[in-house]
Amino acid sequence: MILYTYQAQNLIFPASEDEFTKQQTIPVAGGSLVVEAVNASEGPGKYRVVRLLSTDPNMYLHSHYQPGSLLDPGNLNGGLE
């Protein structure tokens, strides 16, 4: 089987089930974010952006939605449900 994709192999085939279960999808105005909780050393209650899911091209221009950026769950529109 050949899989042609733009995503990295570790996103499609995670190394372990634990890495995949740490990720969650949260709604934001205009789309959704795939985030994962970060260690307490980087800030309590913070989430790291893994991926932005949106059909609005302007969403990709916002620096706080870039992969790797840290977010405070209280500042997200739509909240963590």
Side-chain angles (χ1 to χ4, degrees), residues 60-78:
Y60 293 89
L61 299 175
H62 294 291
S63 62
H64 53 275
Y65 293 146
Q66 289 180 346
S69 60
L70 295 176
L71 298 175
D72 184 18
N75 296 337
L76 293 173
N77 297 335

Side-chain angles (χ1 to χ4, degrees), residues 8-80:
Q9 180 179 354
N10 60 350
L11 291 176
I12 298 169
F13 305 108
S16 68
E17 187 68 26
D18 294 337
E19 291 181 25
F20 183 70
T21 57
K22 289 190 289 187
Q23 297 181 359
Q24 58 183 332
T25 303
I26 57 172
V28 294
S32 298
L33 290 173
V34 177
V35 298
E36 64 183 5
V38 296
N39 297 337
S41 63
E42 297 182 30
K46 298 278 185 182
Y47 291 92
R48 177 176 291 121
V49 176
V50 176
R51 182 172 33 173
L52 171 64
L53 304 170
S54 177
T55 57
D56 182 8
N58 290 322
M59 294 275 300
Y60 293 89
L61 299 175
H62 294 291
S63 62
H64 53 275
Y65 293 146
Q66 289 180 346
S69 60
L70 295 176
L71 298 175
D72 184 18
N75 296 337
L76 293 173
N77 297 335
L80 293 170

